Amino acid sequence: MTEDLKGLALDAIATSAAADDPDYPRFHVVPPVGRLNDPNGLLVDGATYHAFYQFSPFHPRRKLVYWGHSSSTDLLHWNHHGPTIVPDSSYDLSGAYSGNAIVLESRELEGAPVQAPYQLFYTGNLKDPVTDERTASQCLVTSSDLRDFTKWPGNPLIPANAEGYTAHYRDPQVFRDPDRPGEYRMLIGVQRVNETGAAALYRSRDLVSWEFEGELTFPGAGGAFSSFGYMWECPGLVRVTDEDTGEEWDVLIWCPQGITPQREGFENIFPCVYTVGHLKGTELRDTDGTFHEVDRGFEFYAPQVFARRPSEPGPVLLTAWAGNASEDDQPSIQSGQWVHALSLPRALSLKNGQLIQRPAADLPHDAGQPALVGTPLDSGQYEPAELHGHRSWQLRLEAEPDRTSGAWGVRIGTDRSHVDIILDGGALRVDRSTSRYTQHGAVRTVTLPEGCASVLEIVHDRSLTEVFVGDGALAFTMRSFVDPDSSGARLLAGGVLTLKSGRVRTFT
Ligand code: FRU
């Protein structure tokens, strides 16, 4: 008898006590039970945001990846829904792997083979139980209401194991071709048989028949990306506007596994990088091979942006897995049988070819301007009373540069169990060594981008912290398991600190 995989997942969700765990974030996407990894199929539908994600409901007992589903109208309060893609078809029995979504306008549906506005693309993963040999094919799931989801009967769209590549061929991103209206492209992360990573492009007019176009190439990059790691996971091309010039760029964001550039950064097992250019055919032009990490934190991976209907434009919102690689041994596994979370969506723009990332949502309750603004503080710790007792909050501080001397920053939690976030000269220093989770590192120092303003913004939600420095010029995402009885935060001043402005919000 075949297993009722959907029923088993629903049972696991129904009996879960994860939300009672004191580390369970309150305004982030978190699995209702078990494990979450990459965000998938992010989309905006009118006033509602939908986040799907890699979801293993039986973790750590059994590794089987579904797509989970949450929705929200404010990017802060998320409702769990039942699993969307259940790995119960011959082509996805070993897991419904990552992919994205497209939301179709009614005119795009005219004559389309599948009459459904919501189309989700994913990789069907299959491992031979005897040989462990992997096959990966690209598949389609559609929905007319985001409640019922139907696997396309003609799956897979793109059969497994293309010539010249290994079975590491996954994570489709489908997008409209701005240069050829009515046509769609699909970008897939691949591994060549010589064990180097690349991204393959496909083209379609109807979203079900796809033609291989070739690899994405970088004519101006001087070979920088031709042998760049052994596998590219989760590649995505995103159109982003430069704040100063208004020019639009195509930003390639991807996770090349196995690169070790000889410069600061890249401390994570797998990095997530971007390069900026213009996509013409299969070429990403106007990139000279320069690349940067998207986020410098300990836990950040596999981001993607929310898809929108062209008739419902809005900011480019990016969300990532606040995790990295498969290290799941976090405190929450013991205490609540859940692990990992998605980052808060952040709005993207560009300045001088560099990504700017700002939190896309403000917490609902405004605790106002911290009382400490304007008073020169002298070497010590100062508690903004507004954060007293809170474990989910947002804080934005701007120092008066010519009236501030020495290092300054924020201590989340108490002296006994805390995470310190310090701006010291031209660097950000993060220290979580007294917290309960340091597996990907305890202390990290990051050089700030040139001309970075002394603005420090922190989004903290129980066990997850996102830091933005210089009004979005640098982002740093991490898990921050301070003790549950270690609440609030303190301002730290190494010398004199004068705050020019400040804002505190708490999630109540
Ligand atoms: C990235 C990744 C993807 C894959 C998925 C499987 O974290 O390895 O390449 O589709 O996770 O869960």
Side-chain angles (χ1 to χ4, degrees), residues 268 297-301 321-324 432 437 440 477-479:
N268 294 350
F298 299 107
E299 283 91 21
F300 183 92
Y301 200 66
W321 172 29
N324 201 301
R432 60 173 180 180
Y437 182 68
H440 295 149
T477 300
M478 70 181 136
R479 298 309 300 278

Side-chain angles (χ1 to χ4, degrees), residues 35 37-38 40 54-56 63 65-66 95-99 123 125 134 168 170-172 189 231-235 255 257 270 301-302 321 324-325:
R35 180 178 194 265
N37 55 298
D38 312 352
N40 293 153
Q54 290 286 279
F55 174 42
S56 310
K63 185 179 186 292
V65 185
Y66 298 54
Y97 276 14
S98 287
T123 299
N125 189 43
R134 184 199 289 261
H168 291 286
R170 58 176 173 267
D171 309 337
M231 166 66 188
W232 289 8
E233 291 194 316
C234 302
C255 300
Q257 295 181 301
F270 298 137
Y301 200 66
W321 172 29
N324 201 301

Side-chain angles (χ1 to χ4, degrees), residues 290-353:
T290 303
F291 60 92
H292 302 280
E293 284 180 279
V294 176
D295 185 290
R296 298 291 301 273
F298 299 107
E299 283 91 21
F300 183 92
Y301 200 66
Q304 64 167 252
V305 299
F306 282 77
R308 295 175 182 274
R309 288 187 179 87
S311 60
E312 293 176 7
V316 181
L317 301 180
L318 175 129
T319 289
W321 172 29
N324 201 301
S326 54
E327 293 177 24
D328 299 330
D329 194 12
Q330 297 187 354
S332 60
I333 273 293
Q334 274 80 48
S335 50
Q337 291 194 3
W338 66 276
V339 63
H340 302 306
L342 298 186
S343 69
L344 190 74
R346 46 183 81 167
L348 298 188
S349 60
L350 285 168
K351 259 184 195 235
N352 276 329

